[in-house]
Amino acid sequence: MKHPKIFLATPTSQVKDYAWMRWYTNVESMVDHYAGDVQLYVSDNSPTMDYFHYLQKFDLQVGKVHPRGRRSTEVICESFNQIRDSFLKSDAELLCIVESDVIPPHDTLHRLAAWQLPIVSAVYFTGNGDDRFPMILVGDEINEVYTTRLLGPELLAYLDGGLKTAFASGVGCVLITRDIVAKVPFRHIPGVGMHPDALFYQDLNQIARTQHHVDTSILCKHYNQDWNQHIHLTKNFSK
């Protein structure tokens, strides 16, 4: 059986360093559990070069995006497109984005790749405490922009461990073929707070005309609840 080469990447910043070693150690285990080759890449968008140099100490390739006082959506979009460009220049067949505060099961690469789909993701939750909800939006039509979030019994029925369709599910843990990545760049709208991943899924449906799938048997841990505690990070990365 042929195992396609995977380009596993994430945008990150020093404000997410609280999750970095947890993420990196888990990704190493994911690579060990996958029979094919995996190339690791990180796009750092921290305000200084210190965290970029810190990340270079690890066994991966590091790109740099300078925020220069820009809106976060623009900076994150540039990081995603830096990842996209680097993937398209590589010889990898699949792009896997695992955001730097998301921790998938160790066998996730094998399980997602086994579906042989244009785009398929795992499940992760966002929000805090009782307000946590899955990053999944559903719609009836492939070109539908107006979507609904799953709640209550509908959510329990959806998360039954099977392969499901969705309009969008974030990019916390997603596997995408080269063909789709080439067709759909990341973008942002100046002055509008929509994140690049939301616009990516709109374009996936409207431009690539591709159905997105979610493997509801793969549940990831998401450490976004620590974000506000680490906004004013004081750790010194220059040493």
Side-chain angles (χ1 to χ4, degrees):
M1 178 181 176
K2 182 178 181 291
H3 299 278
K5 183 175 180 178
I6 294 175
F7 189 95
L8 191 156
T10 184
T12 197
S13 172
Q14 69 181 53
V15 296
K16 283 194 172 183
D17 182 67
Y18 66 87
W20 170 251
M21 285 308 304
R22 182 185 284 142
W23 181 90
Y24 182 74
T25 301
N26 189 70
V27 163
E28 284 189 311
S29 181
M30 291 171 65
V31 171
D32 289 342
H33 280 76
Y34 183 64
D37 293 332
V38 181
Q39 181 178 345
L40 302 181
Y41 186 94
V42 173
S43 176
D44 171 48
N45 51 56
S46 302
T48 71
M49 292 297 294
D50 292 343
Y51 199 60
F52 171 81
H53 293 309
Y54 168 73
L55 293 173
Q56 286 184 313
K57 299 175 183 178
F58 296 88
D59 188 19
L60 42 73
Q61 186 179 355
V62 187
K64 180 64 184 175
V65 168
H66 296 278
R68 301 185 187 92
R70 295 177 292 166
R71 292 176 64 97
S72 62
T73 50
E74 180 182 358
V75 175
I76 293 169
C77 183
E78 187 175 338
S79 269
F80 275 125
N81 278 322
Q82 185 177 74
I83 289 169
R84 175 180 179 268
D85 293 344
S86 298
F87 163 69
L88 291 174
K89 291 175 183 176
S90 76
D91 62 348
E93 298 167 70
L94 301 171
L95 170 63
C96 183
I97 298 175
V98 178
E99 290 190 320
S100 59
D101 56 2
V102 173
I103 310 298
H106 297 164
D107 59 352
T108 294
L109 296 179
H110 169 75
R111 290 164 69 183
L112 289 180
W115 289 113
Q116 298 183 353
L117 289 167
I119 176 168
V120 59
S121 65
V123 178
Y124 69 106
F125 287 70
T126 192
N128 297 307
D130 293 336
D131 294 326
R132 290 179 72 78
F133 55 88
M135 287 290 291
I136 297 171
L137 294 174
V138 295
D140 294 330
E141 302 290 338
I142 193 170
N143 63 346
E144 184 176 348
V145 174
Y146 301 99
T147 56
T148 57
R149 179 171 289 144
L150 294 163
L151 297 172
E154 199 176 38
L155 172 60
L156 293 176
Y158 186 92
L159 298 178
D160 64 358
L163 183 71
K164 299 298 177 67
T165 59
F167 180 85
S169 64
V171 290
C173 181
V174 61
L175 189 70
I176 317 170
T177 61
R178 175 173 285 270
D179 179 59
I180 296 300
V181 175
K183 288 180 180 177
V184 187
F186 289 91
R187 64 185 177 96
H188 73 100
I189 302 174
V192 177
M194 282 187 74
H195 283 262
D197 60 338
L199 294 168
F200 172 84
Y201 281 107
Q202 284 191 14
D203 294 342
L204 177 72
N205 284 263
Q206 295 179 339
I207 297 174
R209 304 291 297 172
T210 299
Q211 181 67 68
H212 176 54
H213 288 83
V214 180
D215 185 336
T216 65
S217 73
I218 307 177
L219 304 179
C220 306
K221 296 179 181 178
H222 188 199
Y223 291 93
N224 70 311
Q225 68 268 23
D226 292 326
W227 175 265
N228 290 330
Q229 301 175 28
H230 295 266
I231 285 293
H232 303 294
L233 193 66
T234 57
K235 183 175 178 181
N236 186 358
F237 293 101
S238 62
K239 295 181 179 179

